[in-house]
Amino acid sequence: MAEASRSNAPWLLSGPGLVLFAALLGTPLILTVILSFYQFDYSIGGIKPAFSFENYRDVLTDPYFHKIFGRTFGVSLIVTVFCVLIGAPEAYILNRMRNPWKSLFLLVVIGPLLISVIVRTLGWALLFGGQGGISTVLQWLGIVDEPVSLMFTMTGMTIALVHVLVPFMVLAVWASLQRLDPQVEDAALSLGASQATVLRRIVLPQIMPGILSGSLIVFSLTASAFATPSIIGGRRMKVVSTTAYDEYLSTLNWPLGAAIAIVLLIATAIIIMSYNRLIERRYARVFE
Amino acid sequence: MIGRGSIKSLPRSQPAATGRSMSFLRLKNLTKRFGDFVAVDDLSLDIEKGEFVSLLGPSGCGKTTTLQMIAGLHDPSAGSIELEGRDLTHVPPNKRGLGIVFQSYALFPHLTAFENIAFGLEMRGVSPGERDERVRRALDQVRLSAFADRHPKALSGGQRQRVALARALVIEPPVLLLDEPLSNLDAKLREEMQLELRILQQNIGVTTILVTHDQSEALSMSDRIVVMNRGKAIQIDSPLSLYEAPGDAFVSGFVGKTNLMEGEVSGPKAVTVNGKRLTAGHGGLSKGTSVRVSLRPEKLILGKPSRGLTGKIGAAVFHGSHWLYTLDTPLGDMIAVTPNTGEAPWKSGSSVSLSWPDGALRVLPVEAGNG
Amino acid sequence: MRRNGLISLIFHTLFIIFIVAPLLAVVAVSFTGKGYLSLPTDGLSLRWFRTIWEYPGFIDAFWMSLYLGIAASTIAVAVAVPAAIAIGRYDFRGREGVMAVFLSPLMIPSVVLGVSFLRFFNQVGISGTFIGITLAHVIMVMPYAVRLVLASVTGMPRDAEQAAATLGASNWTVFRRITLPLILPGIAGGWLLAFITSFDEVTMSIFVASPETMTLPVRMYHHIAQTIDPLIAAISTLLMGATVLLLVLLDRLYGLDRVLVGKG
């Protein structure tokens, strides 16, 4: 870096991008905020440009919306916890493997990030159905007597979302493991620590930043997930994204849909920022 | 660093110089194979209590693997490790209780210097009060008391090195293992640390094994040096004997600088190099045997040209405490090192006479496959 | 040096099964010869792969996604390269802010982006056009392009450029002959990741895609919302095959974990 310049070179270089973002991201967001204060007129089936807090009052007071927001953030929390519980150990195990297994399994674990969410969700829909693989296996094992379907259930939605998002957790933890000096574990062992103590006292604190940043990604992506909750959860398990979609494209109540989206944006932003603050306060001291 | 009263006392315990009754740490026929590659080949070594032994050799010679086997980080393919008669060979590293200083120091980045040093005591269930006291003492020993609450990131290389040393020593290990501990320091600091480490080791009297590729480090610190090459111990000897009486050309080339010449035995106390007959003892080799002849550059005496062997000065390089000359001689190209007395050096191109004390010329066997 | 224990390996095996199972389910079902969802128990059949050609809607959507991905990622990279150089090379007031702007689409829920673009395109009158959806995708994939190019800009040694400058090269020559070749892997990786992201995007596109600009994932979503049949499994299998090819390419080009760290 260095070049502490008062020249306008950096502004010229980043200018085109900034203009593009101002026009194509800033403007649309502002228009949506304005739209969220408008009213939907059911009698004419159109938008009435009259400023009011009506939509926000609906979203913030109606128990129907409370339930949807509660479900969305509840699922996000559960999915995040599961991703930590299975993603972090998997990253650690991967890191201890030798090549070529290490590269191969890393590819298998994080490669799905590049496969469309639709395809991955379809896979779960196939497994979850009454005739699907999971039902068959459960019956074969004698755990259940008749076909069970995980479609349109909270459990099914959670499993599918964990599958979709756990690669992000593995990646984040993997990245922090790469910065870990492998001799540090040997050092702790040589000082008499058991394998479990090494994990708890030496490895875990050092990969904590990775786990925390992975949690942040998983949480915010779950909160705004659309395709998976829509296909697996369906109408029965509506989340914020699917609700906004329905307001827009079924009910055509754009102002209300806009208000729902804005509340989601603000709620997510608040959660992310306070979490970030927490991470920084705890870890800035040790890790630069 | 040295000189601030750190040379506190005379060594409390000297390495047992007499009697080889029972060894403290014994490596017996230690071997490590990685697939077809033999990293350590049938290494046997007896180390006495309080002794400072260096494993010296080029990278890939097996010295680090040997250390890691002693530490328990690698399982030997064959052979055994005994400490005070107790078999350690298959004891896991966290049950061996040895102190190790790693090349990267391997400090715990999320813990302070104090917490790093306290870790081993905590694992041993030492009470907080005693722990505190012993850590303070260890910090004092390495003169880092003022840095107890710093994280490794906020310490300099030399300070990190000393935290690592204190962390390894505070558990009062029977054996201290040092894996190239000074290689990440700059030259000046390295020399200071060599001295400091040696004094500390003698004060505590801890049996120490140092792995290094730096021959001057090994020479200056050790009681004994094990020169290793291709997984084998080539020669095990005190620094002085190793330097003065290297067993073969590899050792003589690796330990210190030397002028190595090809020659053959031409008499009971004579060898011929480039047609010149030189006096040198060779332990009764038969006439005509090919040998190598080694002459340390500082043994070469340069003088005004006379009737004897004469050479021509090539370049004169100033090193502060001494001069290094390259020479064109009837025996081949040579180097000579003379102390700097403050007088003007020999000029490039001038002729000088070459002589050396009796016994300076060492006759070495030509090892098979290396000839 | 240290090996994984038995428990670790069992955990790992279960994890891999969890990751692979749904993908294998899709592939298995796509090879069925029956007219309904089932495993290909009596031999593999390509019946449903042939059926795809009877649905021009999917074929058109595929081309749409392809063109869209190429257009969006090319524009994004073209804008991202100078921006990344500005961020990576200059220490100026507002540097952090500029970075935050370019990464902001990652922080904004896709639904919010979708409704915003829909409103905006309606207002300026490019709703349902290729230009509209392309611009929306440029914004969407920009963070990936910026991140990967920036990583290679900050990772490249400064002295090579300085050496070229002292040898008499002009700024433009330095950029063209030294900087550009050195950051090319980052540019290529960024482009590919941007392309894949654009190609796979559903949530935002579902709002802005019109019947004329329907992308493949959006078309697939609508299909699945109606019915789940072996046809959609066959399409998914093809898509996965193509992704695996790209994955290998990306791995060769750049190292997959490095690319995907940009994704995370």
Side-chain angles (χ1 to χ4, degrees):
Chain A
M1 244 161 277
E3 232 150 290
S5 62
R6 251 169 283 113
S7 85
N8 43 20
W11 295 108
L12 287 176
L13 287 168
S14 53
L18 291 175
V19 169
L20 198 71
F21 267 62
L24 289 169
L25 186 60
T27 319
L29 284 175
I30 292 167
L31 286 177
T32 304
V33 172
I34 295 172
L35 177 65
S36 70
F37 287 105
Y38 287 172
Q39 287 296 299
F40 182 69
D41 193 331
Y42 285 96
S43 57
I44 57 164
I47 294 160
K48 209 165 54 181
F51 188 88
S52 90
F53 286 98
E54 192 74 18
N55 298 318
Y56 286 99
R57 212 191 54 212
D58 280 355
V59 175
L60 296 175
T61 58
D62 191 333
Y64 171 74
F65 288 115
H66 286 175
K67 202 171 156 196
I68 285 169
F69 272 91
R71 176 184 294 136
T72 304
F73 288 113
V75 167
S76 303
L77 193 65
I78 296 169
V79 167
T80 307
V81 169
F82 274 109
C83 282
V84 172
L85 289 181
I86 70 170
E90 177 62 17
Y92 183 74
I93 293 169
L94 277 177
N95 195 42
R96 285 168 71 111
M97 285 189 168
R98 283 166 222 230
N99 275 322
W101 301 114
K102 193 177 184 165
S103 319
L104 175 73
F105 283 119
L106 192 65
L107 201 73
V108 171
V109 171
I110 63 182
L113 278 185
L114 300 181
I115 295 173
S116 172
V117 173
I118 298 282
V119 173
R120 287 184 279 164
T121 305
L122 173 68
W124 285 110
L126 294 174
L127 290 176
F128 283 157
Q131 315 300 323
I134 289 178
S135 178
T136 314
V137 170
L138 288 179
Q139 286 180 81
W140 183 73
L141 287 173
I143 295 172
V144 294
D145 304 327
E146 49 193 44
V148 284
S149 171
L150 286 172
M151 285 300 276
F152 316 120
T153 65
M154 195 75 160
T155 314
M157 193 156 97
T158 307
I159 293 175
L161 281 167
V162 169
H163 178 262
V164 168
L165 295 163
V166 76
F168 286 107
M169 181 62 71
V170 174
L171 256 180
V173 177
W174 171 267
S176 66
L177 279 168
Q178 299 313 298
R179 289 192 290 269
L180 199 135
D181 175 0
Q183 287 195 329
V184 161
E185 286 180 66
D186 288 344
L189 280 179
S190 78
L191 291 167
S194 66
Q195 198 56 252
T197 309
V198 172
L199 272 181
R200 192 169 50 83
R201 295 278 308 275
I202 304 301
V203 177
L204 190 63
Q206 292 189 70
I207 62 171
M208 211 54 195
I211 293 178
L212 293 175
S213 71
S215 309
L216 203 61
I217 295 166
V218 170
F219 185 90
S220 56
L221 286 179
T222 316
S224 60
F226 170 78
T228 308
S230 171
I231 293 171
I232 306 285
R235 288 284 140 93
R236 283 235 299 274
M237 289 288 149
K238 272 178 127 181
V239 293
V240 178
S241 296
T242 51
T243 310
Y245 176 75
D246 286 345
E247 291 302 336
Y248 257 81
L249 298 170
S250 310
T251 326
L252 294 179
N253 188 344
W254 286 25
L256 181 61
I260 294 170
I262 295 295
V263 171
L264 177 68
L265 175 65
I266 291 171
T268 316
I270 289 173
I271 292 169
I272 289 177
M273 281 193 294
S274 28
Y275 199 80
N276 246 337
R277 180 86 41 96
L278 189 85
I279 296 176
E280 271 165 23
R281 208 176 326 144
R282 278 210 59 187
Y283 290 96
R285 196 167 40 98
V286 189
F287 300 98
E288 282 154 331
Chain B
M1 213 168 264
I2 298 298
R4 245 183 294 149
S6 68
I7 305 174
K8 279 180 197 141
S9 59
L10 288 169
R12 250 191 281 136
S13 70
Q14 282 284 10
T18 52
R20 303 232 151 182
S21 50
M22 180 202 137
S23 69
F24 185 66
L25 180 68
R26 168 171 285 172
L27 312 183
K28 232 161 54 187
N29 309 105
L30 211 53
T31 300
K32 179 69 186 177
R33 288 182 216 98
F34 296 106
D36 289 340
F37 176 69
V38 184
V40 177
D41 194 357
D42 200 30
L43 178 77
S44 292
L45 179 64
D46 285 326
I47 297 172
E48 283 164 54
K49 195 170 167 57
E51 206 180 1
F52 194 125
V53 173
S54 292
L55 306 181
L56 173 67
S59 61
C61 74
K63 56 189 194 300
T64 297
T65 311
T66 305
L67 191 87
Q68 285 175 332
M69 284 193 284
I70 301 172
L73 302 170
H74 273 317
D75 261 345
S77 311
S80 67
I81 301 162
E82 278 170 32
L83 181 67
E84 293 180 288
R86 195 162 60 92
D87 184 18
L88 276 190
T89 316
H90 298 292
V91 175
N94 49 359
K95 299 276 190 285
R96 293 195 186 198
L98 308 184
I100 306 171
V101 176
F102 293 84
Q103 186 170 12
S104 67
Y105 312 144
L107 296 180
F108 310 131
H110 58 299
L111 303 180
T112 63
F114 186 98
E115 290 163 340
N116 262 281
I117 298 170
F119 188 85
L121 296 174
E122 205 182 314
M123 293 302 120
R124 280 161 177 72
V126 174
S127 74
E130 189 191 338
R131 209 192 293 164
D132 199 74
E133 195 199 308
R134 282 169 70 177
V135 174
R136 301 257 166 241
R137 216 163 17 172
L139 276 164
D140 193 44
Q141 221 163 19
V142 294
R143 289 175 292 108
L144 280 178
S145 300
F147 300 92
D149 295 327
R150 294 258 188 109
H151 280 93
K153 275 245 158 72
L155 295 171
S156 72
Q159 288 168 338
R160 283 181 210 175
Q161 214 277 324
R162 283 183 281 153
V163 172
L165 189 62
R167 185 178 68 177
L169 285 175
V170 77
I171 59 172
E172 294 175 358
V175 178
L176 178 64
L177 304 174
L178 307 169
D179 183 9
E180 307 243 7
L182 306 176
S183 61
N184 287 333
L185 303 177
D186 63 56
K188 194 163 150 43
L189 196 55
R190 191 157 59 223
E191 261 172 47
E192 288 176 0
M193 282 304 298
Q194 282 172 10
L195 187 55
E196 191 171 334
L197 196 59
R198 177 59 164 157
I199 291 165
L200 192 65
Q201 187 266 337
Q202 289 186 333
N203 281 343
I204 301 168
V206 62
T207 310
T208 303
I209 301 175
L210 168 77
V211 157
T212 183
H213 64 268
D214 179 348
Q215 46 95 17
S216 75
E217 192 168 295
L219 288 176
S220 64
M221 295 171 79
S222 328
D223 294 317
R224 273 195 301 157
I225 296 174
V226 180
V227 181
M228 294 184 70
N229 193 24
R230 296 179 189 164
K232 283 192 186 342
I234 307 282
Q235 191 173 0
I236 305 177
D237 229 326
S238 73
L240 185 64
S241 336
L242 206 60
Y243 189 84
E244 292 299 330
D248 69 4
F250 174 79
V251 176
S252 102
F254 196 75
V255 180
K257 286 196 177 75
T258 195
N259 293 300
L260 211 53
M261 299 160 279
E262 308 281 342
E264 64 173 58
V265 175
S266 54
K269 267 190 162 298
V271 291
T272 306
V273 174
N274 268 2
K276 296 269 172 193
R277 199 178 156 91
L278 309 169
T279 310
H282 50 69
L285 291 171
S286 58
K287 205 172 162 191
T289 312
S290 289
V291 291
R292 291 185 172 190
V293 181
S294 159
L295 178 62
R296 296 284 183 195
E298 74 278 7
K299 300 277 163 68
L300 205 50
I301 302 165
L302 310 182
K304 293 239 164 61
S306 62
R307 273 190 300 151
L309 202 55
T310 326
K312 206 174 180 190
I313 301 276
V317 183
F318 188 45
H319 280 271
S321 63
H322 60 269
W323 286 92
L324 187 144
Y325 298 100
T326 63
L327 295 159
D328 185 7
T329 79
L331 303 176
D333 289 338
M334 297 178 90
I335 53 170
V337 169
T338 65
N340 170 27
T341 55
E343 286 162 28
W346 295 100
K347 287 220 164 49
S348 176
S350 52
S351 289
V352 290
S353 72
L354 305 170
S355 57
W356 48 82
D358 284 349
L361 222 48
R362 318 252 10 150
V363 178
L364 305 168
V366 175
E367 60 268 49
N370 259 4
Chain C
M1 207 171 293
R2 288 170 309 277
R3 288 155 185 276
N4 286 304
L6 183 66
I7 298 172
S8 298
L9 290 178
I10 292 171
F11 176 88
H12 172 70
T13 310
L14 293 175
F15 189 93
I16 295 296
I17 291 173
F18 172 67
I19 292 293
V20 174
L23 305 177
L24 288 183
V26 172
V27 175
V29 167
S30 69
F31 285 103
T32 190
K34 305 219 174 68
Y36 51 90
L37 284 181
S38 61
L39 291 174
T41 39
D42 39 357
L44 300 181
S45 155
L46 292 178
R47 166 181 172 186
W48 290 101
F49 289 93
R50 282 191 294 271
T51 312
I52 297 172
W53 306 109
E54 293 158 23
Y55 287 79
F58 283 114
I59 309 291
D60 293 346
F62 169 78
W63 290 114
M64 178 67 209
S65 283
L66 192 69
Y67 297 144
L68 174 61
I70 292 172
S73 45
T74 305
I75 296 171
V77 166
V79 178
V81 168
I85 289 174
I87 296 166
R89 275 303 152 72
Y90 294 91
D91 192 10
F92 57 104
R93 277 171 72 94
R95 192 171 142 264
E96 303 278 308
V98 171
M99 185 69 186
V101 166
F102 287 124
L103 294 187
S104 61
L106 291 178
M107 286 293 122
I108 303 171
S110 306
V111 185
V112 177
L113 290 176
V115 302
S116 301
F117 289 137
L118 177 58
R119 176 67 174 163
F120 177 67
F121 295 153
N122 257 328
Q123 298 292 87
V124 294
I126 53 170
S127 179
T129 63
F130 184 73
I131 293 181
I133 196 167
T134 304
L135 291 175
H137 273 233
V138 169
I139 299 293
M140 190 85 198
V141 301
M142 187 73 108
Y144 304 111
V146 169
R147 265 193 191 168
L148 285 197
V149 178
L150 182 60
S152 60
V153 167
T154 50
M156 77 167 273
R158 214 50 236 276
D159 40 15
E161 291 179 341
Q162 286 160 349
T166 61
L167 293 170
S170 67
N171 282 344
W172 172 242
T173 310
V174 169
F175 176 76
R176 202 168 44 82
R177 296 282 303 279
I178 310 294
T179 316
L180 200 59
L182 282 173
I183 64 173
L184 203 57
I187 295 177
W191 190 92
L192 258 179
L193 188 57
F195 173 81
I196 293 172
T197 307
S198 161
F199 195 92
D200 286 347
E201 213 289 326
V202 211
T203 313
M204 184 268 284
S205 307
I206 222 162
F207 286 90
V208 288
S210 64
E212 291 76 43
T213 59
M214 181 86 64
T215 65
L216 186 56
V218 173
R219 164 88 47 193
M220 288 168 73
Y221 169 80
H222 287 311
H223 187 92
I224 293 172
Q226 299 300 318
T227 172
I228 297 177
D229 53 17
L231 172 69
I232 198 76
I235 293 168
S236 298
T237 300
L238 284 183
L239 212 50
M240 264 191 275
T243 311
V244 169
L245 282 181
L246 264 183
L247 231 112
V248 172
L249 183 66
L250 204 55
D251 198 29
R252 287 278 161 278
L253 208 63
Y254 201 68
L256 195 68
D257 54 334
R258 279 173 66 203
V259 174
L260 290 167
V261 163
K263 178 119 184 164

